[in-house]
Amino acid sequence: MTTLSPENSLSARQSASFILVKRKPPIDKTEWDSFFDENGHLAKSRDFICVNILERGLHPFVRTEAWKFLTGYFSWQSSQDERLTVDSMRRKNYKALCQMYEKIQPLLENLHRNFIETRNNIARDIQKLYDKDPLGNVLIDKKRLEKILLLSYVCNTQAEYQQGFHEMMMLFQLMVEHDHETFWLFQFFLQKTEHSCVINIGVAKNLDMLSTLITFLDPVFAEHLKGKGAGAVQSLFPWFCFCFQRAFKSFDDVWRLWEVLLTGKPCRNFQVLVAYSMLQMVREQVLQESMGGDDILLACNNLIDLDADELISAACVVYAELIQKDAGESPRSLKQPWPRGLMSFNFST
C-alpha cells in the first residue's frame, strides 16, 4: 500500500474540504511579512505556510519571494541578512558560469555536435514565443532568455534541453527581475520537483504511476485503456513534459499549480493526481466513443483554459479517495490482484 501516516490522513481530510469551502484570499504582502520576525527568521512553521499556499495561493506581489523559499533558493531557517548574502553569492556564481561558458564555447562548437544542434533548437523555440502582450508591450527579452537556456543546457548534466523548457524558463523570467534569479530558480525548480518534467528522468515514472493509479481507482476505465494498448496512457507524456502549462487560461494559473507542487502538499507526486483528475474530465467521452491513444491525446489536448484552483481541488479529492481506499482495503479483500506497483509509489508528504 502507499506509505501513509495518520498525519497524512488528516491532510487528506483537509484536502477534501478544500473543494467544499470558498477559498480564502491569497496570501498578500502584509500577511507574508507577518510570517517572519524582526530579523527575518521564520516565525511560523514551514508546514503552516505550505498548507496555506495549497489552500489559498500567493498574491502576485508575494510570489517572487515565496518561490525562493519553496524552491530552496533560500533556506527556510535563514535570516534577512543571510538571504542577502546568499543572493549575492548566487549572482557571483551565475556570473562565473557565464564567463566559463564564453571560454569553452569554441571548444563545444568544434567537439560536440550535440551542442550546435541544441543551440539551434533553442534559437528556433525562442523565436516561436510570443514576446508581447495584447497591448503590444514587450514581455520578455528573447536574447537573455536564449543565453540562460544555453547556460542551463551546458551546466545541467541531468536535464538536457527539451522542447518546452523555453516556455517554462519564460515564466521564470516573467516572475523575477534578474537573470541569475531566473537561472537558479529554474534549476532549483527541477530539483525540487524531482525532475518530474524531464523526459529521461521523471516523465516515464509519472506515466507508470498514473497507469497504476487508474487501475487502483477506476478499474473500468483501466480495462478500456488496456484494451487500446500500452500507448493509451503513454500518449499523455506532454502533460508532464510541459508541467501542465498549456492547459491553463493564464500564467497565474500555471504559477498557482507549480507553487502547490513545490510545497509537497497534500502529498508527494501530486502531479500524478493532477493528471488523473484531468483524465477524468474526458473519461465519459473516451468510453462512449471507444477512443484509442491518438484520439485520447486529442481529447486531452482540448483541455485548455482550465482553472487552477478547480483542478487542485479535484486532485485533492482524488488524494482523499486514495487514502480512504488504501486504508479500507487489504490485498485479500480485493477481487482483482493487488496493484503491487502502487506499494512502491510514495504519495506521503
Side-chain angles (χ1 to χ4, degrees), residues 47-232:
D47 190 69
F48 171 86
I49 295 174
C50 287
V51 168
N52 270 272
I53 292 174
L54 166 69
E55 295 179 347
R56 299 166 53 195
L58 295 166
H59 190 279
F61 291 164
V62 176
R63 184 163 281 136
T64 299
E65 183 177 353
W67 273 52
K68 289 182 177 180
F69 288 92
L70 290 172
T71 58
Y73 185 102
F74 288 148
S75 167
W76 289 95
Q77 286 74 45
S78 62
S79 66
Q80 178 62 28
D81 289 342
E82 288 170 338
R83 291 194 286 276
L84 290 174
T85 300
V86 168
D87 187 69
S88 176
M89 176 194 70
R90 300 212 187 283
R91 186 192 299 268
K92 291 177 181 177
N93 288 346
Y94 175 76
K95 184 176 180 180
L97 288 174
C98 290
Q99 292 172 344
M100 175 207 69
Y101 169 71
E102 291 176 0
K103 291 180 179 179
I104 67 172
Q105 182 178 350
L107 182 64
L108 293 172
E109 291 174 341
N110 291 328
L111 299 181
H112 295 275
R113 186 180 305 172
N114 288 343
F115 171 77
I116 297 177
E117 181 180 353
T118 301
R119 184 176 62 183
N120 292 338
N121 289 337
I122 290 174
R124 281 194 295 268
D125 288 342
I126 290 291
Q127 291 308 311
K128 296 175 185 177
L129 289 173
Y130 292 105
D131 59 349
K132 297 180 180 179
D133 65 17
L135 299 177
N137 300 311
V138 176
L139 293 172
I140 58 172
D141 187 320
K142 288 187 174 182
K143 286 293 184 182
R144 288 169 53 198
L145 193 60
E146 183 175 347
K147 176 183 176 181
I148 298 171
L149 281 167
L150 271 171
L151 188 63
S152 178
Y153 163 66
V154 171
C155 297
N156 198 328
T157 57
Q158 282 190 293
E160 294 186 357
Y161 179 78
Q162 65 186 43
Q163 190 177 37
F165 276 6
H166 64 301
E167 296 180 16
M168 295 179 69
M169 190 76 81
M170 178 188 72
L171 291 179
F172 284 94
Q173 190 184 66
L174 287 171
M175 186 191 302
V176 298
E177 181 179 359
H178 303 291
D179 288 354
H180 75 278
E181 296 173 306
T182 303
F183 175 82
W184 288 117
L185 279 176
F186 182 68
Q187 308 308 316
F188 286 126
F189 177 83
L190 293 178
Q191 294 174 20
K192 191 71 174 181
T193 56
E194 302 180 71
H195 294 87
S196 175
C197 61
V198 180
I199 291 176
N200 62 347
I201 302 178
V203 173
K205 180 191 72 173
N206 286 329
L207 291 169
D208 287 343
M209 282 192 286
L210 177 59
S211 181
T212 305
L213 188 62
I214 297 168
T215 300
F216 189 51
L217 293 180
D218 193 348
V220 173
F221 196 32
E223 192 64 26
H224 169 83
L225 295 175
K226 182 180 179 181
K228 297 299 180 180

Side-chain angles (χ1 to χ4, degrees), residues 199-346:
I199 291 176
N200 62 347
I201 302 178
V203 173
K205 180 191 72 173
N206 286 329
L207 291 169
D208 287 343
M209 282 192 286
L210 177 59
S211 181
T212 305
L213 188 62
I214 297 168
T215 300
F216 189 51
L217 293 180
D218 193 348
V220 173
F221 196 32
E223 192 64 26
H224 169 83
L225 295 175
K226 182 180 179 181
K228 297 299 180 180
V233 173
Q234 300 300 315
S235 67
L236 301 177
F237 74 92
W239 279 353
F240 296 111
C241 290
F242 293 96
C243 210
F244 306 101
Q245 61 181 311
R246 293 185 174 181
F248 294 109
K249 59 185 177 182
S250 71
F251 291 155
D252 281 326
D253 284 281
V254 179
W255 287 320
R256 172 76 176 107
L257 175 63
W258 287 3
E259 64 203 16
V260 168
L261 298 181
L262 287 170
T263 66
K265 302 293 182 182
C267 63
R268 185 179 173 190
N269 294 317
F270 188 60
Q271 72 278 356
V272 178
L273 306 186
V274 170
Y276 177 85
S277 300
M278 291 175 65
L279 192 55
Q280 288 293 301
M281 296 178 187
V282 300
R283 178 186 186 276
E284 294 306 315
Q285 180 186 1
V286 169
L287 291 176
Q288 289 175 6
E289 300 179 18
S290 190
M291 290 182 173
D294 291 341
D295 291 331
I296 292 174
L297 178 60
L298 182 61
C300 290
N301 285 342
N302 289 331
L303 292 175
I304 57 175
D305 295 336
L306 298 182
D307 180 277
D309 283 317
E310 293 177 0
L311 182 58
I312 292 167
S313 296
C316 285
V317 170
V318 173
Y319 177 60
E321 180 185 355
L322 178 63
I323 296 288
Q324 184 178 17
K325 188 175 180 67
D326 200 33
E329 295 182 342
S330 67
R332 293 180 181 179
S333 68
L334 289 174
K335 296 180 180 179
Q336 58 190 24
W338 180 251
R340 294 187 178 274
L342 192 62
M343 300 170 72
S344 64
F345 295 147
N346 187 357

